Amino acid sequence: MSQSPGRYQTSMAGMVGAMIVLIGCVLAFVAFRETSREVPQVEPEAIAWQDAVTALANEGYAIIAPNGLPDGWIATNIRSRPGDPPVLELSMLTDEEKFVGYRQDDERLEDMLETYVDKKARPGEPVEVTGGDFAGEWETWSDEGGDHALVRDLGDQRLMVYGSAPTEDLVELASRLTVAESSRPAAQVSGSPTPAPQD
């Protein structure tokens, strides 16, 4: 009795079809898991930036920093480099979660703009800052992506407030910039004379 080749071919076709269906089910399950999986929200953490500013001021460095942040803002990072003049960089998020950065530096303006705004940043109309120790006209710069910067030239150094936040927010921060005060008595600050002992 001869075997029928048709049965063998039908069996192979069924196996291939079942394999395709199985693979499709696996892919559908994986896709479902990926689309339905909850992505954990990572909330930015606020840092104690004022402690770092005070510590630098205690060492006698002329640190220029905000005297406080607007309501709802948080500082997320601070970096500094002691020197004459010192370098201070502060990163913040506004209450609308827009980024604002601040930098006190002696870099050339062109280099600061290229690093923190854009190589092709364009100058705009100056704005008036009405508060803090550095009230007056500040330069404005912007790029095509919507980033802005305010700049105040102090001769041997520059102050820059920049970011993706609206210009009004940058002006608000600039109006809070002051020369940080030491929390130590003047005689204890580095470089200050020590009073002679009393008889």
Side-chain angles (χ1 to χ4, degrees):
M1 182 183 293
S2 62
Q3 294 182 347
S4 171
R7 290 184 180 176
Y8 179 77
Q9 292 174 356
T10 301
S11 177
M12 283 297 295
M15 289 179 62
V16 171
M19 186 69 70
I20 292 174
V21 171
L22 179 61
I23 292 173
C25 290
V26 171
L27 292 176
F29 175 72
V30 171
F32 173 76
R33 281 193 61 189
E34 290 300 316
T35 56
S36 62
R37 180 182 299 170
E38 291 186 5
V39 178
Q41 297 294 323
V42 179
E43 294 293 334
E45 291 187 10
I47 61 169
W49 62 277
Q50 289 168 311
D51 293 344
V53 168
T54 301
L56 288 166
N58 285 345
E59 294 301 318
Y61 296 108
I63 292 294
I64 298 170
N67 57 12
L69 301 184
D71 290 342
W73 290 35
I74 63 170
T76 58
N77 190 38
I78 186 170
R79 294 192 298 175
S80 62
R81 186 184 71 218
D84 185 22
V87 173
L88 179 71
E89 182 177 301
L90 186 63
S91 299
M92 294 151 281
L93 288 176
T94 71
D95 54 345
E96 298 292 332
E97 296 190 347
K98 297 291 186 180
F99 172 75
V100 174
Y102 163 68
R103 191 165 181 93
Q104 171 189 2
D105 206 329
D106 60 354
E107 269 193 292
R108 296 189 315 134
L109 175 59
E110 293 80 3
D111 294 336
M112 292 178 71
L113 289 171
E114 182 175 346
T115 302
Y116 302 106
V117 185
D118 192 277
K119 189 174 183 179
K120 298 181 179 179
R122 304 183 306 270
E125 293 295 323
V127 297
E128 190 75 17
V129 172
T130 57
D133 291 344
F134 302 93
E137 273 195 357
W138 286 57
E139 300 175 22
T140 66
W141 298 81
S142 60
D143 68 1
E144 293 182 354
D147 289 333
H148 308 285
L150 310 183
V151 178
R152 179 70 181 266
D153 194 328
L154 301 180
D156 62 340
Q157 60 183 317
R158 269 150 292 285
L159 309 181
M160 177 182 282
V161 181
Y162 59 96
S164 59
T167 302
E168 294 78 11
D169 287 343
L170 306 187
V171 171
E172 172 66 23
L173 187 76
S175 71
R176 294 168 176 259
L177 293 176
T178 61
V179 178
E181 295 183 359
S182 170
S183 62
R184 296 163 57 184
Q188 296 182 17
V189 177
S190 176
S192 300
T194 302
Q198 299 294 320
D199 291 335

